[in-house]
Amino acid sequence: MAALVDQFRGQVFGLCYRMLGHRQDAEDMAQESFVRALRSLANFDTRREFTPWLLAIAGNRCRSLLSKRGRRAIATDELDKVADPAPDGQAASNLAEEIELALRELRPEYRQSFVLFHEQHMSYAEIAETLACPVGTVKTWVHRARRELADHMLRRGVVEELPNALRRV
Amino acid sequence: MRCDEFEIRLNEVLDQRRLPEADVGLADHARQCEKCRALAASFQAILEGLERSLTVPCTNDLSDRVLAALAPATTIRFPHRRQLMVLAAAAAVLLLVIGPWTWFGGGERSAGPAPRIPRPSAAVKPATGSQPRPEKEIAGPYRTLARETTASLSVAMQLLPVESLGIGGAAGTQSRNPPATAPAEWVHGLTDGLTPVTRPTAGVMSTFIDLLSAKDEDPRS
């Protein structure tokens, strides 16, 4: 069991962290996801892929936590980041931080499908299996996530600092 | 290529995990259109930002935490615990009703299976021809309580569809109301009729108690 956790903890924790944007919550959800998966391992259909199944559990746990969060106040540190409309100099220069901030503003299903495609490098078919929805829906969610993230980056003025990206295109 | 086609094409290229700059059509349009160039640059910024923020380490003790959390899962679980509790409560109520009568009125039959005593009726005689059961003598301070319990039970049974309980064999076709002249006799016959009901209930109760005992004795719990 420990070997299985060690093998997949990076993927599970990565998804949880992207979904929740909070390290401690992500670790708790990763732990809970593994516990649930291992308890249900006897019922796992071996004809299915294991990774999408495991990440589906993690995604469901994260969405449940997010829905609970929606009914209570957001943590103060997160509120400060989200409520700041002006591009702070330090934050704008930190592209990774801007991405994290932009991801939090996405709808959970957009965020999950985007992270699974671009960060976990899963195929659309695997994501569709994970999210239990059609491939076309997943594609739409990923495209909308890209568009909303791009709008966020443009709005925050982050793209102007990346002249090399224009040349590459 | 129009601007709306540019975004569709850009998404297609990213869906195929290819580099946008490698697509000639995209590159040509981006050189001519500032808006689409900015869009492409923002897409590029997103991917670069993802790569930079990938190194979020997870604590090393995750597997230990998972294994520790799994340990309580080995305790015995009752998949139908709620139903068992309801059943146990119903059985307890049934025993509370039947218990006093069995204790005070049916004690002499507890040693072995009693002969079926048909429900007496003024209109139809019992097919077996057995004689009416004589009134039992109960000594001690419980005499009054026993009589009151028997009387209240007989009144309560008038409201029940006793034919469906199989009381009295051929007497099942008789009137559902016992004669007022011999309520105790009719109630005595109830024991045989209720046996099929009480026996499985008692069995379930016994099993339930065994399960609880097994749980208490389980060292893993």
Side-chain angles (χ1 to χ4, degrees), chain B residues 53-137:
Chain B
S53 62
L54 272 178
T55 54
V56 181
C58 178
T59 53
N60 291 326
D61 64 342
L62 182 62
S63 56
D64 295 336
R65 289 170 57 184
V66 170
L67 294 178
L70 277 172
T74 56
T75 56
I76 293 177
R77 289 189 168 194
F78 297 103
H80 304 292
R81 183 176 178 176
R82 186 185 180 93
Q83 290 87 335
L84 279 174
M85 292 299 287
V86 171
L87 194 59
V93 170
L94 191 62
L95 288 175
L96 280 175
V97 173
I98 300 300
W101 176 83
T102 305
W103 181 263
F104 297 116
E108 67 181 21
R109 287 194 302 229
S110 61
R116 175 174 289 258
I117 301 175
R119 184 173 66 178
S121 169
V124 181
K125 293 294 184 185
T128 57
S130 61
Q131 296 301 316
R133 182 189 182 89
E135 186 84 19
K136 286 198 334 176
E137 289 298 330

Side-chain angles (χ1 to χ4, degrees), chain A residues 7 18 20 25 35 45 49 55 57 74-75 88-89 94 103 105 115 118 122 126 130 134 142 150 156-157:
Chain A
Q7 183 179 348
R18 286 294 186 215
L20 303 171
D25 285 350
V35 169
D45 183 359
E49 291 284 335
L55 293 179
I57 294 174
I74 304 173
D88 179 83
N94 191 341
L103 279 170
E105 295 176 358
V115 168
H118 281 295
M122 291 173 68
E126 289 174 326
T130 300
V142 172
R156 299 278 293 183

Side-chain angles (χ1 to χ4, degrees), chain A:
Chain A
M1 284 186 185
L4 188 141
V5 174
D6 288 339
Q7 183 179 348
F8 290 98
R9 74 176 181 183
Q11 283 178 284
V12 173
F13 173 76
L15 175 63
C16 293
Y17 182 75
R18 286 294 186 215
M19 290 292 291
L20 303 171
H22 190 274
R23 185 194 176 96
Q24 188 59 49
D25 285 350
E27 286 184 355
D28 290 344
M29 285 304 104
Q31 174 189 332
E32 197 172 316
S33 302
F34 276 115
V35 169
R36 289 200 171 217
L38 290 171
R39 280 180 181 164
S40 313
L41 206 55
N43 302 324
F44 173 66
D45 183 359
T46 53
R47 290 169 298 183
R48 294 180 60 188
E49 291 284 335
F50 180 74
T51 305
W53 178 72
L54 179 60
L55 293 179
I57 294 174
N60 290 338
R61 299 312 306 151
C62 291
R63 283 206 297 271
S64 298
L65 182 63
L66 287 171
S67 65
K68 286 180 186 172
R69 265 192 198 171
R71 292 194 293 270
R72 66 171 192 249
I74 304 173
T76 310
D77 56 340
E78 296 176 47
L79 191 64
D80 289 343
K81 287 182 181 176
V82 174
D84 180 16
D88 179 83
Q90 188 177 359
S93 63
N94 191 341
L95 190 58
E97 196 172 313
E98 280 296 331
I99 290 291
E100 290 179 14
L101 184 59
L103 279 170
R104 287 179 209 176
E105 295 176 358
L106 292 179
R107 284 169 52 175
E109 59 268 28
Y110 292 3
R111 192 184 320 153
Q112 188 174 358
S113 52
F114 178 84
V115 168
L116 290 176
F117 184 83
H118 281 295
E119 220 172 47
Q120 306 280 350
H121 303 292
M122 291 173 68
S123 68
Y124 278 128
E126 289 174 326
I127 300 172
E129 185 182 350
T130 300
L131 299 177
C133 61
V135 172
T137 304
V138 174
K139 275 190 178 182
T140 303
W141 286 349
V142 172
H143 293 179
R144 287 179 183 171
R146 284 182 194 143
R147 181 69 204 203
E148 289 186 19
L149 289 171
D151 289 343
H152 174 93
M153 304 300 273
L154 291 170
R155 200 168 54 244
R156 299 278 293 183
V158 180
V159 179
E160 293 174 358
E161 298 177 6
L162 296 167
N164 291 338
L166 296 178
R167 279 193 217 112
R168 288 178 64 185
V169 173

Side-chain angles (χ1 to χ4, degrees), chain B residues 8 27 63 154 198:
Chain B
I8 293 171
S63 56
S154 66
T198 56

Side-chain angles (χ1 to χ4, degrees), chain B residues 182-204:
Chain B
E185 297 296 333
W186 180 80
V187 172
H188 286 320
L190 194 62
T191 300
D192 300 328
L194 283 180
T195 297
V197 179
T198 56
R199 186 171 296 158
T201 305
V204 168

